[in-house]
Amino acid sequence: MPSASFTASRSYVRRSRRKGANRIPTPSRTTSAEPCEPSCPVPNQNIPALSTAAPGSGGTSATAPGTSGGAVPAHHSPYDLRRKSPSHHECGAGPSTSAATAGSPTSPAAPTTSAQGYTSAMLPARKRPRRTCSVSYESCTNTAAHYLQYELPDEVLLTIFNYLLEQDLCRVSQVCKRFQAIANDTELWKRLYQSVYEYDLPLFNPAPRTFEFISPEESDLANPWKESFRQLYRGIHVRPGYQDLQFKGRNLVYFNTVQGALDYADERSSGNNVSSSTSNACNNGETTDNTNQGALIFLHAGTYRGEFLVIDSDVAIMGAAPGNVAESVILERESESTVMFVEGAKQAYAGHLTLKFSPDVTSTVPHHKHYCLEVGENCSPTIDHCIIRSTSVVGAAVCVSGVGANPLIRHCDISDCENVGLYVTDYAQGTYEDNEISRNALAGIWVKNYANPIMRRNHIHHGRDVGIFTFDNGLGYFEANDIHNNRIAGFEVKAGANPTVVHCEIHHGQTGGIYVHENGLGQFIDNKIHSNNFAGVWITSNSNPTIRRNEIYNGHQGGVYIFGEGRGLIEHNNIYGNALAGIQIRTNSDPIVRHNKIHHGQHGGIYVHEKGQGLIEENEVYANTLAGVWITTGSTPVLRRNRIHSGKQVGVYFYDNGHGKLEDNDIFNHLYSGVQIRTGSNPVIRGNKIWGGQNGGVLVYNGGLGLLEQNEIFDNAMAGVWIKTDSNPTLKRNKIFDGRDGGICIFNGGKGILEENDIFRNAQAGVLISTQSHPILRRNRIFDGMAAGVEITNNATATLEYNQIFNNRFGGLCLASGVQPIVRGNKIFNNQDAVEKAVANGQCLYKISSYTSFPMHDFYRCQTCNTTDRNAICVNCIKTCHAGHDVEFIRHDRFFCDCGAGTLTNQCQLQGEPTQDTDTLYDSAAPMESHTLMVN
């Protein structure tokens, strides 16, 4: 039951049901003027006679009709203006002498023959009117009645009806069809309605806890104002100054205070003294029982201060005012909670109100557990279209707590509060929909201690702290919320909290989008997370959320940032356009990252560093500005079955002791190499396809290590595998083929063990070893190359054991001057020896190599032609083109002939038209540098 208390403490006592001397007496159910059962809206009535009740005479009173609101022209009068009298048989009721007798179908005149031929004598005795006038007077009366019913213009009748209140208007509508049509005029009922309820639009109450304004143009009802009046007529009104006014023809109850209305509703409910429905005339013969909907209280415009309202019954409290209703009806309190719903308020309702809690900052009364709106255990009120404000710095604006607390809070504005906006705790539940929660000093929403609310379509923004904060095992289902421009994270999860967040948009946070820490959990599914100043998602300190099917994009830093031993399942997300890495894993974090698209980042795709771990599988990582995947500083992730492609630098980059496993991935079409390993990194690279790199397949340099096993490395623009600068990887059972340059190039002190690899169909040497390098080649098959099988040059050496080298164009094993490898048990056979054949046939070697390959043979310089250290001339050109010149033998090494290339002054006599020479360098080339060997 509704109750109220003015005590200073928060404890309250249920109100006694016994009648007190100060109670407003319940109006008698036998009152002579019953309201039209369904209340009918009544716009502006013209000055009905009013009387002032004697002091203390009771609460049943009526108000003078107010001024009509803005006209809504959609519904017109349901009758046509008639100038002719209809034939008498068209009227279904006999003539009536006045509207005051409209409750009877015939007038109280002496029995005479009516227009249909009936006389009052034909009625039963108890229905016969008393004979009090002469026949001549009766004839005169019939003439007046006939004129009133059939001759008087509609406009005049409408003007007369404007002076009637709702009950008399319903009665007069029973006189005849014409009166009924005129009395149902929409403008008439609109003015009457707005004088009582003050709303600009009809308000309907189709079900408990459901109130909705419907524009007349959108209503299917012939007279929506009248129907709204009918549905709301049972209401009790709080309208200061109206309590002592009475009107004949109206049965409404007015009070000056909310407490008085609650007491009256309680008393009426306990006595079952609910005003009955009105005459069937206003209801088309149907009666509606509103008693099961609970009491309905209208609060009219004004500020109601000081009343501590404790609601413990199914009462509905509704603001009533023109314009923006909630802004005009204010409940305000400075101590204790402004409105409190407690056990018993299962179907209670509060709508279109402003609730304010404004504690006196100078007061010594503590209010840290006082709130603007409080919902306690075992109650489920509906809070609808309310404005909620609190200036308390120690308590939330709205607090929902306790087992069985299950409110419906919708279309409310919870903003500009000096603490938390909405606080749900201690196993409470509830549904919170379409609310505006903004500019609060702390979090917009707190969910704590196993509370499990449902929050849909809320707009949570511009908070001075977090948007939504779930912590201490808080739960909740959050759907389709718009969360943005909060100072800290849009959504924070901490300390065992486990919310479900779906279809939300979390964006433009001044720090991150989602922050999960200190063992936080949660499911984040199908959200849009974008344009946050820091990472879109942060996961740290043993937290383990699920991040699934989200779009995470355009972050001012990274997409997903997992650090400080964070975990998590990151799957089926679309992560793109972030300023830093799409996913960053560091400091012993170990997430599962799978089935994501990570692309078009302004930095790298995935960055694993500082001992980061993780299982990274079946992702598509592409078109990122830097490396597709970076692995560094002691990190050991596992990458399986990913497609890493079309990057603007490296595909997968291991450096500074980066480790981990790279298995069964498809790595292709990078502007640099597919995989780079450097500075102590030692990954296991197994079963991958590495192809289409513009700067090679795999580059191992600057002390890089690694095991490359059973990979397919093919169709790369430069070497399939580069090993340089003191690197020492192991390559086993790989297929390295169809390279647009060499198969494996080892130089600048490179080492390595190459075992049981198949190296074939490469445009340059199958294996090139240069510049102080010393690898071990064991049991490899090197065949079908477009140049030599193995070339060793520039003071390099090698150990070659049990290899098969066959069917290579320029020969099997080609050694430059001074090279002495360790050779044991190799089979070198069926090579084409194209260089020796060209020399024997007197051809320029450029004829068989052009400038894209480098056959190994004797080369010379011509002093007469002033050739430089960058030029080399083949033996046949020396004999023919430079015959008689001063020439110098340099050494046996790999080169192409500059004479045949047309780069010297004299045209080659052994070639046709010269071909442009790029004169580029091959040896000691870092990625993206030139690729021709400088042999001098």
Side-chain angles (χ1 to χ4, degrees), residues 129-202:
R130 188 175 304 163
R131 292 178 179 272
T132 56
C133 56
S134 66
V135 173
S136 61
Y137 178 78
E138 182 176 326
S139 175
C140 178
T141 303
N142 286 341
T143 302
H146 182 274
Y147 178 77
L148 178 64
Q149 286 186 270
Y150 303 117
E151 300 293 338
L152 193 65
D154 291 350
E155 295 88 345
V156 176
L157 280 175
L158 188 60
T159 301
I160 294 170
F161 289 176
N162 263 303
Y163 286 86
L164 301 181
L165 297 185
E166 58 275 3
Q167 290 183 332
D168 289 336
L169 194 59
C170 288
R171 291 189 179 100
V172 80
S173 70
Q174 294 178 323
V175 171
C176 67
K177 291 182 179 179
R178 183 184 180 212
F179 278 25
Q180 184 184 47
I182 297 174
N184 201 42
D185 177 68
T186 54
E187 290 299 316
L188 179 67
W189 281 98
K190 176 183 176 181
R191 290 194 301 272
L192 187 62
Y193 175 90
Q194 291 183 332
S195 71
V196 174
Y197 301 104
E198 303 186 82
Y199 299 128
D200 295 336
L201 296 173

Side-chain angles (χ1 to χ4, degrees), residues 203-212 214 227 231-232 290 293:
L203 176 68
F204 295 94
N205 180 205
R209 300 194 299 175
T210 302
F211 293 85
E212 51 190 25
I214 297 180
E227 174 60 20
Q231 292 184 16
L232 305 181
N290 290 319
Q293 293 196 29

Side-chain angles (χ1 to χ4, degrees), residues 176-342:
C176 67
K177 291 182 179 179
R178 183 184 180 212
F179 278 25
Q180 184 184 47
I182 297 174
N184 201 42
D185 177 68
T186 54
E187 290 299 316
L188 179 67
W189 281 98
K190 176 183 176 181
R191 290 194 301 272
L192 187 62
Y193 175 90
Q194 291 183 332
S195 71
V196 174
Y197 301 104
E198 303 186 82
Y199 299 128
D200 295 336
L201 296 173
L203 176 68
F204 295 94
N205 180 205
R209 300 194 299 175
T210 302
F211 293 85
E212 51 190 25
F213 289 100
I214 297 180
S215 170
E217 293 90 342
E218 298 174 359
S219 173
D220 295 330
L221 298 167
N223 192 338
W225 301 98
K226 179 179 177 181
E227 174 60 20
S228 176
F229 205 127
R230 182 187 72 81
Q231 292 184 16
L232 305 181
Y233 201 73
R234 75 183 194 281
I236 303 164
H237 294 257
V238 179
R239 197 170 188 179
Y242 277 68
Q243 179 167 333
D244 296 329
L245 299 180
Q246 279 189 321
F247 293 100
K248 186 176 181 180
R250 173 164 290 164
N251 188 20
L252 295 177
V253 182
Y254 286 90
F255 291 91
N256 292 327
T257 64
V258 183
Q259 184 63 58
L262 289 170
D263 288 343
Y264 173 76
D266 184 19
E267 182 176 289
R268 187 170 72 174
S269 174
S270 63
N272 198 27
N273 187 15
V274 180
S275 177
S276 66
S277 302
T278 63
S279 154
N280 291 346
C282 284
N283 204 20
N284 295 325
E286 299 177 5
T287 60
T288 300
D289 185 7
N290 290 319
T291 60
N292 62 348
Q293 293 196 29
L296 173 59
I297 297 175
F298 291 101
L299 271 59
H300 289 264
T303 300
Y304 302 85
R305 290 190 174 91
E307 297 189 65
F308 175 34
L309 305 178
V310 179
I311 311 299
D312 61 357
S313 67
D314 294 338
V315 63
I317 303 175
M318 183 79 183
N324 188 318
V325 180
E327 290 181 355
S328 302
V329 184
I330 302 170
L331 288 169
E332 186 172 9
R333 191 163 172 79
E334 295 183 354
S335 63
E336 301 183 281
S337 297
T338 305
V339 176
M340 183 177 181
F341 290 91
V342 298

Side-chain angles (χ1 to χ4, degrees), residues 510-656:
Q510 296 179 36
T511 55
I514 295 170
Y515 181 28
V516 188
H517 60 117
E518 296 182 32
N519 298 290
L521 300 168
Q523 295 80 43
F524 297 85
I525 303 170
D526 295 313
N527 302 285
K528 288 186 176 180
I529 304 164
H530 65 94
S531 308
N532 296 287
N533 280 352
F534 293 169
V537 179
W538 288 10
I539 303 170
T540 184
S541 51
N542 296 298
S543 296
N544 191 18
T546 297
I547 313 294
R548 180 182 293 130
R549 292 196 307 272
N550 303 282
E551 284 197 37
I552 305 171
Y553 61 99
N554 292 352
H556 298 172
Q557 289 193 8
V560 179
Y561 181 28
I562 309 165
F563 64 103
E565 300 183 342
R567 297 190 299 280
L569 173 60
I570 319 297
E571 65 177 3
H572 296 288
N573 301 285
N574 190 10
I575 304 171
Y576 60 95
N578 297 287
L580 297 182
I583 296 179
Q584 184 177 167
I585 304 169
R586 59 172 286 207
T587 51
N588 297 301
S589 296
D590 190 16
I592 297 172
V593 180
R594 64 189 182 194
H595 304 295
N596 301 284
K597 288 185 177 180
I598 305 165
H599 58 103
H600 290 94
Q602 300 172 42
H603 197 268
I606 299 174
Y607 182 25
V608 190
H609 61 119
E610 297 179 42
K611 299 183 179 180
Q613 300 174 50
L615 173 60
I616 302 168
E617 61 181 6
E618 301 186 64
N619 303 282
E620 186 160 9
V621 184
Y622 63 98
N624 295 287
T625 301
L626 300 183
V629 180
W630 289 17
I631 301 170
T632 181
T633 51
S635 298
T636 56
V638 176
L639 283 79
R640 291 195 183 110
R641 298 184 299 279
N642 302 283
R643 280 169 46 93
I644 304 168
H645 64 96
S646 307
K648 299 175 184 176
Q649 285 194 7
V650 181
V652 182
Y653 186 20
F654 296 90
Y655 69 102
D656 293 349

